Amino acid sequence: MARKNYPDEFKRDAVALYRDTEGATIAQIAAELGVSEATLSAWCKSAGVPIRHRRGVVVAEPVPGAESPEQELARLRSEVKALRATEARLSTERDILRSAAKYFGRGDELVSRFQFVADHLHAFEVKWLCAVVEVARSSFYAWLAGADGRAARRAADEALAERIRAVHDEDNTYGAPRITAELNDGAPEGQRVNHKRVARVMRGAGIAGYRRRRRVKTTVADPANQKVPDLLKRDFTAAQVNTRYVGDITYLPLATGANLYLATVIDCCSRRVAGWAIADHMRTELVIDALKAAAALRGSLAGAIFHADHGSQYTSRDFANLCRDLGVVQSMGAVGSSADNALAESFNAALKREILQDRACWPDAAICRREVFRWLARYNTTRRHSYCRHSSEGDPFGGPVVMRLGVDGSWSTVERTRLG
């Protein structure tokens, strides 16, 4: 009786015997092995071996899932064609990205990609270019449609940059706020410019006001100083002139290694330097001379507050006696706190920053006095003050237009008088 189950090795050997025996038929090999013809035929079909019939004609029996040689050739040709198309596409995209690399290093990355597509749309399809640089076609077409508007705005910005440069060349310490005020001074309503636009154009044109940061300690406290309250509490505003003043001493470095010293008395309302004194020392006489100069300009300082730091000059007995004689009420910030006298500190920084700029010191004392005097005169008459809404016009007596701060926070112009 024939076996019903055959090991895999037996099946492989039977198929190999049939395949390698030339001219043998399924019936002959099956008889030799003692298996049925159907069984051997099934093993051969599973192994992909064609069945030979009695007349010697070889018929390729179809194997489930197998393809004919013609089908296989057609499939391979199709795959080769697809691979070549993919290779060509990748090669082109690589060339596109290589060309686009120089665009991506510019300012606005998205605009740079739009510009790249616009520069190459005649060489490649827009759809393809947008896909490669990862932008939406609708966004690109919207950007392209706005080209005329951008060109007009660019031309207007270039014209504005020339106007800004002309103002900046006259005074390179001016930043965007003061340049905006200068441009808008007397301009018709339709030609006024916004400070944000001025700042943007200045950034694009590389124009900036001069900046310098330097900290030098000039305040030397007197250990035995008198106690004076802080009456300003960091509020450096005033509703009218000749009511609140701040003062300080700053050093003016010379090339010889020595220093001159400047003492100031600044009105909190108009920001005018009502009195100042320059000397080669920091004795009490320096601040006394500055306060006397302010009293001479104003006519009287009676009832006015004078705020300073705890330097030994301001805490001295002689200065206190002068304040009492002039009717001035003394005020002082906390020890070691520059913020308590920020208005005076800011003024000192602006003076040296705008005069010295990239220089470290003045050549000599005479030049220092002359340049400081010229700057102070301009500061009091023509320089625009942000606190006073960038007012800079001088009055017939040499003082600026005085701005009065109302209780509601609004500004009004005080009649031009000799108030400074």
Side-chain angles (χ1 to χ4, degrees), residues 143-390:
W143 176 85
L144 196 62
D148 293 340
R150 288 194 303 277
R153 288 192 295 272
R154 185 162 51 249
D157 285 348
E158 290 174 358
L160 178 60
E162 291 303 317
R163 295 172 59 196
I164 291 173
R165 192 171 284 109
V167 175
H168 189 263
D169 288 343
E170 274 197 37
D171 189 341
N172 65 351
T173 64
Y174 271 17
R178 288 191 173 93
I179 288 181
T180 302
E182 190 73 27
L183 294 174
N184 290 336
D185 188 15
E189 186 64 28
Q191 297 181 11
R192 296 175 66 85
V193 291
N194 183 273
H195 69 281
K196 293 181 180 179
R197 183 186 175 201
V198 171
R200 173 178 57 80
V201 173
M202 289 180 65
R203 283 195 301 271
I207 303 173
Y210 187 81
R211 296 182 179 88
R212 189 183 184 193
R213 298 290 182 267
R214 189 173 183 179
R215 292 185 177 181
V216 178
K217 183 177 180 181
T218 56
T219 301
V220 180
D222 184 354
N225 61 352
Q226 56 182 324
K227 299 297 181 181
V228 176
D230 184 352
L231 302 178
L232 297 191
K233 302 295 183 181
R234 301 188 182 181
D235 178 14
F236 304 107
T237 62
Q240 58 184 5
V241 297
N242 201 25
T243 56
R244 285 185 171 191
Y245 293 90
V246 296
D248 195 14
I249 301 175
T250 187
Y251 81 107
L252 307 174
L254 305 177
T256 60
N259 295 318
L260 291 182
Y261 298 92
L262 170 67
T264 54
V265 179
I266 305 170
D267 193 306
C268 290
C269 178
S270 66
R271 293 306 198 254
R272 180 180 179 87
V273 184
W276 75 82
I278 300 178
D280 58 359
H281 61 81
M282 290 178 62
R283 295 192 294 272
T284 305
E285 298 92 78
L286 179 65
V287 296
I288 287 177
D289 289 343
L291 191 61
K292 286 181 177 179
L297 177 72
R298 296 304 194 194
S300 173
L301 296 178
I305 296 174
F306 178 75
H307 182 84
D309 56 28
H310 278 264
S312 58
Q313 301 86 352
Y314 295 111
T315 57
S316 65
R317 187 180 301 277
D318 291 341
F319 187 76
N321 292 337
L322 175 64
C323 289
R324 185 181 63 254
D325 294 341
L326 296 176
V328 173
V329 181
Q330 280 189 275
S331 171
M332 290 185 184
V335 176
S337 176
S338 60
D340 286 349
N341 199 19
L343 174 56
E345 297 285 354
S346 176
F347 170 85
N348 294 336
L351 181 145
K352 285 188 275 190
R353 180 180 67 247
E354 295 186 7
I355 299 179
L356 286 176
Q357 298 193 9
D358 293 328
R359 295 179 295 167
C361 58
W362 280 273
D364 54 50
I367 294 176
C368 176
R369 288 175 180 270
R370 184 169 60 249
E371 290 186 352
V372 171
F373 173 77
R374 181 184 293 116
W375 188 89
L376 286 169
R378 178 181 172 277
Y379 184 89
N380 280 341
T381 58
T382 61
R383 188 180 188 274
R384 297 183 180 275
H385 301 284
S386 57
Y387 173 76
C388 301
R389 294 288 182 88
H390 294 291

